[in-house]
Amino acid sequence: MEARHKLHRQEGRKMKVDQLVQLYLRTGKLEGKTESTLTWYTRRLGQFERFLRARGHSMMVSDLRLEDGEAYIAALMEQDGKWIGHPFHKGHEGQKLS
């Protein structure tokens, strides 16, 4: 079983982000995820794709780094006022982010 997962991970790295998203959504459907869950995944993963494209990032999965995900989360936190005052929000006094 672990060998199969390794193979899938290796194949996934050779894909474009949008191809991997579509594979993930098809897998979710086969696993019985609800339409509302799949719609939520579609919206959120689409936001991430648009974020990458807007920054001129390569759309190859193999080019994604942890820093890309962190930058996306930081951008979401900046646009959504609900994070104001949260301990990990960079505007929160007494908490410094490096």
Side-chain angles (χ1 to χ4, degrees), residues 59-85:
M59 296 308 291
M60 295 302 297
V61 172
S62 60
D63 293 331
L64 291 176
R65 301 287 176 257
L66 176 62
E67 292 81 10
D68 301 318
E70 290 171 339
Y72 175 64
I73 291 168
L76 288 175
M77 290 173 71
E78 289 303 313
Q79 76 183 19
D80 190 348
K82 76 178 184 179
W83 295 103
I84 304 293

Side-chain angles (χ1 to χ4, degrees), residues 12-76:
R13 289 186 187 117
K14 298 175 187 174
M15 299 175 104
K16 290 185 177 181
V17 171
D18 60 335
Q19 293 171 316
L20 192 59
V21 166
Q22 290 306 310
L23 178 61
Y24 182 73
L25 294 171
R26 283 195 308 269
T27 301
K29 189 170 188 163
L30 290 172
E31 290 174 347
K33 304 278 190 235
T34 65
E35 273 307 309
S36 61
T37 296
L38 294 172
T39 298
W40 190 90
Y41 288 168
T42 300
R43 283 190 198 133
R44 296 307 166 262
L45 293 169
Q47 282 180 318
F48 183 59
E49 284 182 64
R50 288 187 297 279
F51 173 84
L52 294 172
R53 286 184 202 284
R55 281 149 187 79
H57 195 289
S58 163
M59 296 308 291
M60 295 302 297
V61 172
S62 60
D63 293 331
L64 291 176
R65 301 287 176 257
L66 176 62
E67 292 81 10
D68 301 318
E70 290 171 339
Y72 175 64
I73 291 168
L76 288 175

